[in-house]
Amino acid sequence: MDTTPATDFRRIFQIIDGNRKAVGDGFQVTSPMPGPRIRQLSPFLLIDHIGPMAIAPSEQPLGSPPHPHRGFETVTVMYQGVLAHRDTAGHAGNIGPGDVQWMTAGAGLLHEELYEKEFTRRGGTLEVVQLWVNMPQKDKMAPANYQDIPSAAIKTVPTADGKGSIRVIAGAYEGVRGPASTFSPLTMLDVHLSKGAEFTLSLPQDYNVGLYIVKGAVQLYDGRPTITKQLVVLGWNSPDMRLTATEDSIILVLAGEPIEEPLATYGPFVMNTNKELVQAIADYESGAMGTFAD
């Protein structure tokens, strides 16, 4: 058992329960962000946890119909089910269990996310976590881009006790680098722990760090318990945090160098000034972000 004094680990700022909402015409969502700690988790802006939800067999795919974005990136981490994506920058693809989709909205596009057709026909369980990641001011008008990251491309680091594994999606951890390309320094880890697993997670001390409990129950600093669909916002007093799984658990680790710039947001647009938001709305309404033929 790890006997390092608790004072040597990152302290907890806040544990946040998500708000429940409906998104599009087929997503049941829990969202702990945005919220009161959004500045303490920069560059991360939003967490939407879809499901787990039962999808009845159907011939009509549901989901999130075409909508615009500008000035940030969306990251979709699939746990169960299959989604189909397409956007007005010409990208399209399906994402299934273990896959990650990293979409750069940049200067702007429209995209849609629907249940994949075969998954819709047979039905099943859908569970997805989607994140919004801010972009630095100098990059906000970069061309739209799409990174399709299959599960097989994501390398895994075992925990020292052999009771868990760490999938490195972005950044680097223990010498393993994730496949995602990012605009600012960040680390994203998908941590899977068996009940009883205990280990110390080390990240740069000046990084903002949040732990989203996708599933299970985990004890953190000073024995504080956290459970499914809670977000833990941590401090900067140490590079290390201790995690002890009291159930089989999945934790999404969101860590990054904060983007210390003005933030102006309106719906699906994330810019630096209100003037830029007005321009984003005008560009969308004029069709400058593209249109779908059907």
Side-chain angles (χ1 to χ4, degrees):
M1 178 176 291
D2 193 335
T3 58
T4 307
T7 52
D8 289 343
F9 294 97
R10 285 189 188 244
R11 297 186 179 91
I12 295 173
F13 267 146
Q14 190 174 13
I15 297 176
I16 303 171
D17 293 310
N19 298 315
R20 295 182 180 179
K21 62 184 182 182
V23 174
D25 58 13
F27 290 143
Q28 300 165 6
V29 178
T30 301
S31 296
M33 271 183 81
R37 292 295 181 185
I38 190 169
R39 296 291 181 177
Q40 280 78 9
L41 278 183
S42 172
F44 299 95
L45 299 166
L46 175 144
I47 301 171
D48 275 351
H49 186 171
I50 301 166
M53 55 187 288
I55 307 300
S58 171
E59 292 299 320
Q60 180 59 48
L62 300 177
S64 186
H67 56 282
H69 290 305
R70 172 177 281 181
F72 65 100
E73 301 183 286
T74 65
V75 180
T76 304
V77 184
M78 292 293 300
Y79 289 100
Q80 301 183 75
V82 186
L83 289 180
H85 162 96
R86 66 170 181 162
D87 62 47
T88 52
H91 310 116
N94 297 333
I95 45 175
D99 298 341
V100 174
Q101 175 204 90
W102 200 294
M103 186 190 80
T104 302
L109 48 59
L110 274 66
H111 79 143
E112 71 173 11
E113 298 154 302
L114 303 177
Y115 311 156
E116 186 270 336
K117 289 182 179 179
E118 289 303 316
F119 173 70
T120 301
R121 290 191 182 104
R122 68 175 182 268
T125 301
L126 180 71
E127 184 172 18
V128 188
V129 175
Q130 186 172 93
L131 312 162
W132 287 12
V133 181
N134 197 13
M135 298 171 69
Q137 184 175 28
K138 65 181 178 61
D139 299 315
K140 281 190 177 292
M141 296 299 287
N145 191 33
Y146 180 83
Q147 299 178 67
D148 183 11
I149 304 173
S151 180
I154 302 173
K155 295 181 180 178
T156 299
V157 178
T159 59
D161 64 4
K163 296 181 180 180
S165 60
I166 304 167
R167 298 202 316 148
V168 185
I169 297 171
Y173 191 76
E174 293 195 358
V176 172
R177 179 160 291 280
S181 175
T182 67
F183 283 89
S184 63
L186 63 85
T187 298
M188 185 182 298
L189 309 174
D190 183 30
V191 180
H192 295 242
L193 302 176
S194 298
K195 181 179 179 179
E198 183 176 69
F199 79 108
T200 297
L201 182 68
S202 297
L203 294 164
Q205 188 169 345
D206 61 343
Y207 272 22
N208 289 339
V209 177
L211 307 178
Y212 181 68
I213 314 302
V214 178
K215 171 187 174 183
V218 180
Q219 286 188 342
L220 298 171
Y221 174 80
D222 206 20
R224 291 277 298 276
T226 61
I227 59 173
T228 300
K229 296 190 177 182
Q230 288 186 324
L231 171 65
V232 184
V233 183
L234 298 170
W236 308 278
N237 59 296
S238 169
D240 300 327
M241 61 215 81
R242 183 172 58 195
L243 290 79
T244 302
T246 55
E247 298 177 8
D248 290 350
S249 300
I250 300 173
I251 304 103
L252 201 55
V253 178
L254 310 175
E257 185 177 285
I259 298 175
E260 302 287 2
E261 296 174 350
L263 193 64
T265 66
Y266 181 80
F269 308 124
V270 179
M271 304 303 291
N272 298 100
T273 68
N274 288 345
K275 182 177 180 180
E276 291 169 339
L277 290 178
V278 170
Q279 186 63 54
I281 295 167
D283 289 346
Y284 164 59
E285 292 179 343
S286 72
M289 295 185 186
T291 58
F292 290 113
D294 57 343

